[in-house]
């Protein structure tokens, strides 16, 4: 459901006066109401705080966001949330990326560092001409592009967290542009990673955030799929778990394996806060880009959005919310119902579609693909979702909008189906979705011919 920016267990303080310069340097007043510290499971954990304030001389509400970090000696330091831009040799993309990033509310030039893999001159010049710091990774001879990328990411994360005061880092790539509230999104939901041990990343991207499916800019979801396009890294996980065992290739696939994921999830928005502009790259071609990336939506609303509460995304609260939604849902018994275009509908009474999947029982191989065949392709064709079922999934459930309806797409083998699926209901199978797609095409053709 919906919600405000603040949760009772989160240190989000609205409409407080902005800190003056002296208070910023000393860490602010010792006002506990303005410093509701997060409970942490380690003395080395950060203490985060987000302040929202009225920007001086601006009638439009703006957020002043700062991150307070406690070091092991208990001294309170103020650190801007660092942003690492992973780059190689695409100068034009990097210029667009930095121009967009510098226009994001709250982003400071001093918080950005470009990490270039190698020394290609025009790319280096793009960063320096825009007044952005740049660090170079000396490339070594490797066998494949995925190995170069993995090696470079290890360099980036190692360098960022070499500063022991840095607790979080936003990681983006050179071929991305950003929503006005890109930084605010991360600052709002970073505390969830400290509060909930079942969350291991926050991403600004949504693989299924297509124009036709992503309608509610206030919504944030959980998924088992690691989303690595504009994401927030947490010091404890990166330094203690990942870097000592970093893979030689395909680093993102590696992070999706059970051994690294450990049952944890990523948070991501329904409407993406970044957009991939790279039509060609190591893992991208023009056909793939046109089919997927080019169709994704980017939040372009200039004003602040009342986002769902961070507390609502804690696992227990999230499960309770989904249970309530399923209990109040309209159960779809004929796929033709879904093709009817309705007025925009909130998720207070979603439409739930149960399907024969068994995805909850399937595992991923090292490339992130399902190891056994599934009926997912006709389902993805029907709704316009990614052809890989794990993208955006949470315990066998996908959530999105379809023809203005709030839809919960539920695997009949999931815990949600066991608890909520009507006993007389036969879940839809892949053949039924395929037939519905062909019927839709035939209907369009008949109208066109008529």
């Amino acid at each position: 459901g919906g919600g405000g920016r603040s949760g009772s267990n989160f240190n989000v303080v609205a409409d407080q006066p902005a800190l003056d310069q002296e208070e910023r340097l000393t860490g602010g007043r010792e006002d506990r109401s303005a410093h509701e510290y997060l409970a942490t499971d380690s003395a080395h954990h950060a203490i985060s705080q987000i302040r929202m304030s009225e920007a001086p001389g601006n009638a439009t509400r703006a957020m002043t966001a700062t991150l307070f970090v406690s070091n092991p000696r208990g001294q309170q330091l103020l650190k801007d949330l660092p942003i690492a831009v992973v780059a190689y040799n695409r100068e034009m993309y990097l210029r667009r990326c930095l121009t967009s990033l510098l226009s994001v509310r709250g982003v400071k030039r001093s918080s950005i560092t470009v990490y270039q893999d190698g020394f290609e001159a025009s790319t280096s010049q793009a960063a320096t001409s825009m007044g952005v710091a740049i660090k170079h990774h000396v490339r070594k001879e490797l066998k494949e592009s995925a190995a170069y990328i993995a090696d470079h990411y290890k360099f980036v994360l190692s360098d960022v967290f070499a500063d022991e005061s840095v607790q979080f880092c936003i990681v983006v790539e050179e071929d991305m542009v950003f929503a006005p509230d890109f930084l605010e999104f991360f600052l709002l939901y970073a505390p969830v990673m400290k509060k909930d041990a079942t969350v291991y990343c926050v991403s600004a991207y949504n693989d299924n955030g297509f124009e036709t499916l992503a309608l509610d800019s206030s919504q944030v979801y959980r998924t088992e799929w690691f989303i690595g396009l504009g994401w927030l890294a947490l010091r404890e996980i990166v330094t203690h778990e990942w870097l000592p065992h970093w893979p030689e290739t395909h680093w993102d696939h590696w992070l999706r394996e059970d051994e690294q994921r450990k049952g944890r999830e990523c948070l991501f928005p329904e409407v993406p806060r970044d957009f991939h502009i790279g039509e060609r790259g190591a893992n991208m071609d023009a056909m793939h880009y046109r089919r997927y990336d080019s169709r994704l939506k980017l939040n372009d609303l200039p004003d602040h959005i009342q986002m769902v509460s961070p507390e609502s995304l804690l696992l227990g609260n999230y499960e309770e919310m989904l249970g309530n939604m399923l209990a109040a849902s309209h159960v779809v018994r004929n796929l033709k119902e879904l093709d009817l275009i309705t007025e925009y509908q909130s998720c207070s009474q979603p439409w739930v579609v149960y399907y024969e999947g068994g995805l909850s029982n399937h595992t991923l191989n090292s490339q992130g693909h399902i190891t056994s065949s599934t009926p997912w392709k006709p389902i993805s064709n029907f709704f316009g979702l990614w052809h890989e079922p794990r993208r955006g999934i949470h315990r066998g459930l996908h959530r999105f909008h379809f023809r203005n309806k709030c839809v919960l797409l539920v695997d009949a083998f999931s815990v949600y189906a066991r608890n909520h699926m009507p006993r007389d209901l036969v879940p839809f199978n892949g053949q039924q979705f395929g037939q519905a797609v062909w019927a839709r095409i035939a209907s369009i053709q008949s109208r066109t011919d008529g």
Side-chain angles (χ1 to χ4, degrees), residues 215-216 219 221 270 325 329-330 338 342-352 399-409:
L215 303 183
D216 191 344
Q219 290 297 330
Y221 306 140
E270 177 172 319
M325 291 174 66
S329 66
H330 167 73
L338 290 167
T342 63
E343 295 294 323
Y344 175 79
Q345 297 178 354
S346 71
C347 288
S348 58
Q349 187 184 19
W351 294 49
V352 61
R399 182 177 169 187
F400 51 89
H401 280 84
F402 182 74
R403 299 184 185 254
N404 284 339
K405 305 174 187 69
C406 178
V407 173
L408 301 181
L409 180 62

Side-chain angles (χ1 to χ4, degrees), residues 5-13 34-41 45-52 63 65-69 81 167-170 182-203 220 222 232-237 265 267 308-315 317:
R5 283 190 177 272
S6 61
S8 60
N9 290 338
F10 284 83
N11 49 348
V12 180
V13 184
H35 292 76
E36 282 188 61
Y37 293 156
L38 288 173
T40 60
D41 57 5
H45 277 195
I47 297 170
S48 308
Q49 180 182 16
I50 301 167
R51 277 185 182 272
M52 294 188 295
M63 173 185 279
T66 54
L67 193 66
F68 292 86
V69 180
L81 185 58
Q167 299 297 316
F168 295 97
C169 177
I170 298 173
F182 175 77
L183 177 62
E184 295 163 1
F185 174 80
F186 284 116
L187 289 168
L188 183 58
Y189 296 110
V192 180
M193 296 182 71
K194 288 291 188 178
K195 186 73 174 177
D196 188 342
T198 68
V199 174
Y200 80 141
C201 83
V202 179
S203 177
V220 180
R222 297 176 62 117
L232 188 68
L234 176 62
R235 176 182 189 81
E236 286 83 358
I237 294 176
E265 296 186 299
L267 306 183
V308 295
S309 164
E311 189 176 44
S312 70
L313 297 169
L314 298 177
L315 183 58
N317 296 337

Side-chain angles (χ1 to χ4, degrees), residues 78-122:
L78 182 64
K79 293 288 290 185
D80 294 316
L81 185 58
I83 302 173
V85 181
V86 181
Y88 176 35
N89 65 353
R90 296 182 291 176
E91 174 242 346
M92 292 305 297
Y93 284 149
L94 179 59
R95 287 187 183 276
R96 289 178 64 185
C97 171
L98 293 178
T99 299
S100 175
L101 196 54
L102 289 167
S103 70
V104 170
R105 284 194 299 265
V107 168
K108 297 179 180 178
R109 200 178 304 266
S110 59
S111 299
I112 305 171
T113 302
V114 172
Y115 286 89
Q116 185 181 3
D117 195 16
F119 296 86
E120 196 276 323
S122 64

Side-chain angles (χ1 to χ4, degrees), residues 136-151:
H136 297 274
H137 176 215
V138 179
R139 288 163 63 88
K140 54 190 177 186
E141 195 67 30
L142 297 171
K143 294 182 179 179
E144 58 176 345
S145 60
Y148 282 107
I149 295 170
D151 191 52

